[in-house]
Amino acid sequence: MKKKWFVIYTRPHQEIKVSETLSAIGITNYCPTITVIKQYSDRKKKVKKPLLSSYVMVNIEDNKRNEVFSCIGVVRYL
């Protein structure tokens, strides 16, 4: 079967964790991120934030779509 791109909806602030877990399972995914500098009272810190909050794109075959739900943090497909 041919692979297609699907968008999955994740729990809030779980996008990067879900992306890493999907990669560990062997599912091709894409979570665009941006590095921002957070200013704290005593320091500055570079933080990696997702560009699209609560969304991760996966490239998967139609008959294997349920495999993404084995990852904690995945809510549903869009």
Side-chain angles (χ1 to χ4, degrees):
M1 278 200 120
K2 186 178 176 186
K3 289 186 174 185
K4 298 179 186 176
W5 284 98
F6 296 98
V7 178
I8 56 174
Y9 185 76
T10 65
R11 290 182 182 163
H13 308 291
Q14 294 287 311
E15 305 88 355
I16 296 173
K17 184 85 168 167
V18 167
S19 178
E20 291 170 352
T21 308
L22 288 171
S23 295
I25 295 172
I27 297 174
T28 307
N29 64 78
Y30 179 64
C31 180
T33 58
I34 187 168
T35 303
V36 295
I37 298 174
K38 297 288 270 184
Q39 175 71 49
Y40 296 102
S41 61
D42 59 339
R43 61 191 153 88
K44 291 182 180 178
K45 185 176 182 180
K46 290 183 181 178
V47 179
K48 190 164 72 168
K49 292 182 68 173
L51 201 55
L52 304 170
S53 60
S54 296
Y55 298 115
V56 176
M57 282 67 83
V58 293
N59 190 11
I60 196 166
E61 295 175 2
D62 243 351
N63 58 351
K64 296 183 180 180
R65 284 181 60 178
N66 287 334
E67 289 182 15
V68 298
F69 294 111
S70 64
C71 174
I72 296 172
V74 175
V75 177
R76 62 185 162 87
Y77 278 99
L78 288 184

